[in-house]
Amino acid sequence: MTKEELIQDITAMQSLKETLLNEIHNVIIGQDRVLTDVLIALFANGHILLEGVPGLAKTLLISSLAKALSLSFSRIQFTPDLMPSDITGTEILVNDPITEKKHFEYIKGPIFANIILADEINRTPPKTQAALLQAMQEYAVTSGTVTRPLSKPFLVMATQNPIEQEGTYPLPEAQLDRFMFFINIDYPTLEEELQIAESTTGLENPVITPQLTGQQIISLQQAVRSLPVSDHVLKFAVNLVRKSRPNTDDALNEIKQWVAWGAGPRASQYLILSAKARAALDGRLTPAEEDVKASAINVLQHRILPSFAAQAEGINSKQIINWLLEQK
């Protein structure tokens, strides 16, 4: 990619962001912060975990995004009895009507799509949750001795209800670490809820018009990765992650007291990628420290495990991250 092509792609992304947001807003009212974060993860090629109480349009948001992007879409409803093969696919014994010989035939599961909605992912046991691990990391699925690649772009967007609700299984740390962003969805404002109540109880059926193809998305993802990052921004992101680890010699006393386990190197990668994508969507050719700070909560909150002492004091991972950001 030449410098001129890079500038052209990044310049186009700012207007593209507004076009996509306006298109999705035909269905989704409000949630500007969440929608922007989802677009950042999309163009940074990172998976997303959305958490919020039932009824906040998490599922509708993801399906609306898929429609706006002209991508194949699969929705997997996670339930306690869901099996891994229900996600990845399975081999079945079939009879050839011509030769009358039996052979195994692989039936692809719903994981073979561009955008995967893993709905209520924490309502299924860890064994089934783990069926997504290889797909999210390697963009492939292995069945028996055969590894089958997944079509790109490939993005897993999972939703979960708050863990304190009944009938949920906490996601293992290894699974959580595969998600670039952990995004909390809040209740709408009064004005937004009034608009929701009015627009969803009438006869109007909003339509979303596709705006991007899969190949265009891949090209823009490559443009985002091509953006240069200054040394001070790179060091800022890496140092922020390293400061979250309590078992290092230079760890701050508060971190040693509040944190049981800090963020790993994947957090540094995602901070830089999300900063690049945020800058690109604003039409800027290089990210700043503010871009790293803006994504710090989404990238780090599910990678920092508060200690029992912190929980006893009512301190959560968000508060720890905000405290780290205030340190000089």
Side-chain angles (χ1 to χ4, degrees):
M1 181 177 291
T2 66
K3 184 177 180 180
E4 290 73 20
E5 290 173 335
L6 177 61
I7 293 173
Q8 184 178 359
D9 283 344
I10 299 305
T11 303
M13 285 185 72
Q14 187 173 16
S15 59
L16 179 61
K17 171 187 173 182
E18 297 304 319
T19 301
L20 287 172
L21 288 177
N22 290 335
E23 200 64 38
I24 297 172
H25 275 313
N26 289 331
V27 176
I28 301 295
I29 295 170
Q31 303 292 2
D32 288 342
R33 174 190 61 83
V34 174
L35 288 171
T36 299
D37 288 342
V38 167
L39 291 181
I40 289 170
L42 169 70
F43 291 111
N45 197 23
H47 308 294
I48 305 168
L49 180 60
L50 294 166
E51 181 178 272
V53 298
L56 296 184
K58 301 184 294 295
T59 302
L60 181 61
L61 186 153
I62 297 170
S63 61
S64 299
L65 175 67
K67 292 176 183 177
L69 297 175
S70 300
L71 298 177
S72 59
F73 172 74
S74 284
R75 178 181 183 272
I76 306 171
Q77 180 62 54
F78 280 70
T79 57
D81 59 349
L82 192 73
M83 299 298 292
S85 59
D86 295 330
I87 298 172
T88 60
T90 187
E91 290 185 337
I92 63 172
L93 188 63
V94 297
N95 187 48
D96 192 314
I98 299 175
T99 63
E100 296 186 353
K101 292 184 178 180
K102 297 183 183 297
H103 66 278
F104 283 100
E105 182 177 320
Y106 184 75
I107 305 299
K108 291 182 177 180
I111 196 72
F112 287 87
N114 295 123
I115 292 185
I116 306 300
L117 167 56
D119 212 3
E120 296 185 310
I121 190 173
N122 61 333
R123 290 204 177 275
T124 199
K127 177 182 178 180
T128 305
Q129 294 171 3
L132 291 173
L133 283 175
Q134 182 189 14
M136 293 172 69
Q137 185 64 28
E138 302 174 19
Y139 301 97
V141 170
T142 299
S143 176
T145 59
V146 180
T147 298
R148 296 173 173 84
L150 297 169
S151 299
K152 294 183 179 180
F154 176 76
L155 185 66
V156 173
M157 294 186 176
T159 71
Q160 72 173 15
N161 296 326
I163 219 65
E164 57 268 12
Q165 293 194 2
E166 293 184 7
T168 57
Y169 301 83
L171 270 68
E173 283 73 14
Q175 177 94 23
L176 282 172
D177 198 43
R178 296 304 196 283
F179 288 100
M180 177 180 186
F181 277 178
F182 185 106
I183 301 175
N184 296 103
I185 299 185
D186 297 322
Y187 288 109
T189 64
L190 173 60
E191 291 75 15
E192 290 170 348
E193 195 159 354
L194 286 170
Q195 191 176 350
I196 291 169
E198 180 182 11
S199 63
T200 58
T201 55
L203 294 174
E204 186 179 358
N205 188 21
V207 176
I208 293 180
T209 304
Q211 301 295 321
L212 274 177
T213 65
Q215 191 55 50
Q216 287 174 317
I217 293 169
I218 292 173
S219 177
L220 292 173
Q221 288 174 341
Q222 293 172 344
V224 166
R225 279 187 169 266
S226 299
L227 288 184
V229 182
S230 62
D231 287 343
H232 79 275
V233 173
L234 192 67
K235 290 178 180 177
F236 176 79
V238 172
N239 286 334
L240 178 62
V241 172
R242 292 182 64 83
K243 286 179 181 178
S244 73
R245 300 168 187 165
N247 53 348
T248 58
D249 294 335
D250 56 348
L252 299 171
N253 289 331
E254 289 85 353
I255 295 301
K256 290 180 179 179
Q257 178 184 354
W258 294 339
V259 179
W261 196 259
R266 191 178 275 123
S268 300
Q269 299 169 353
Y270 283 154
L271 279 175
I272 295 300
L273 281 173
S274 61
K276 286 185 175 187
R278 186 179 292 274
L281 287 169
D282 286 343
R284 292 180 281 117
L285 293 173
T286 186
E289 284 188 11
E290 293 304 315
D291 296 307
V292 176
K293 292 179 180 179
S295 295
I297 296 292
N298 288 342
V299 172
L300 296 176
Q301 67 172 317
H302 57 300
R303 294 183 165 89
I304 294 177
L305 181 63
S307 65
F308 288 117
Q311 295 178 45
E313 296 179 35
I315 298 173
N316 58 33
S317 58
K318 281 187 181 180
Q319 293 168 311
I320 294 171
I321 297 164
N322 285 326
W323 182 87
L324 281 172
L325 291 171
E326 293 170 359
Q327 305 308 303
K328 302 298 182 181

